[in-house]
Amino acid sequence: MIGLGGTGLFVLLATVDWLWGDDTWQWASEAWPGGAYGFAVWVGVCGPLVAALSVLCLSRMNWKSWREHTARTVANTVVGSASTTALVPYISLVFNAQDSGKLRQSAVTSPSWVFSNYPWLWAVGLLSTMATITALIWVLVVNNRRRRRAPDHDALGNIDKGHVGPTPQ
């Protein structure tokens, strides 16, 4: 089973590289606004956002109470699975942009088309990825601070009922 799973993964990655490899970067260099560099910025922004969406949806799935909230559980499962699956072409595009030909074992391997024509494209993608991750972390910190500062509107009602602290469930 491990060998069959490994073979399936290899075939999947080869297919994704074939579909989302140099042809995608060649298309982007001609048709995308800003050329290949604009596409690299877009890929660098979308990758962390899709990963954050995947983590958000998959972490909100509560399998113990899925029958109580069937629609929410199914929606989180579908969106989380789709966003996780969307990361596979993202990874293929990133590795293809960094393929200098030196990662493989043989000495006759030539670099990818995108690396040959845009050797610093990976740096543009990396900078946009780091900026997006920084913005996501900032949004999470600000959101967490606002939640801590927000007054508990149920606190006064709980005092009248004899409860102290958060509303009992």
Side-chain angles (χ1 to χ4, degrees):
M1 292 303 284
I2 292 173
L4 188 61
T7 303
L9 181 64
F10 179 75
V11 169
L12 173 70
L13 292 176
T15 304
V16 167
D17 185 49
W18 173 63
L19 293 173
W20 291 88
D22 280 338
D23 293 339
T24 304
W25 286 108
Q26 288 175 0
W27 168 82
S29 69
E30 297 169 1
W32 196 265
Y37 290 110
F39 188 66
V41 169
W42 182 78
V43 168
V45 168
C46 286
L49 293 178
V50 170
L53 178 65
S54 175
V55 168
L56 181 70
C57 288
L58 294 177
S59 68
R60 288 189 173 188
M61 292 177 11
N62 189 358
W63 290 107
K64 293 180 181 178
S65 66
W66 72 272
R67 290 184 182 178
E68 295 173 13
H69 307 287
T70 307
R72 180 174 46 188
T73 303
V74 169
N76 280 334
T77 303
V78 168
V79 173
S81 300
S83 58
T84 302
T85 304
L87 289 174
V88 175
Y90 167 76
I91 292 168
S92 177
L93 285 171
V94 168
F95 280 116
N96 193 279
Q98 296 175 359
D99 185 13
S100 63
K102 296 178 183 177
L103 296 176
R104 298 192 182 106
Q105 299 296 333
S106 65
V108 292
T109 304
S110 60
S112 65
W113 177 88
V114 66
F115 190 83
S116 297
N117 292 305
Y118 300 95
W120 292 101
L121 188 74
W122 62 270
V124 173
L126 179 65
L127 286 174
S128 63
T129 300
M130 298 306 291
T132 304
I133 290 171
T134 304
L136 280 172
I137 291 171
W138 179 77
V139 166
L140 289 173
V141 167
V142 167
N143 189 24
N144 192 21
R145 285 182 183 166
R146 283 189 182 166
R147 283 187 181 177
R148 286 184 183 171
R149 286 189 210 151
D152 187 9
H153 296 292
D154 293 334
L156 295 176
N158 289 338
I159 293 173
D160 293 339
K161 296 177 187 174
H163 299 291
V164 178
T167 307
Q169 299 291 332

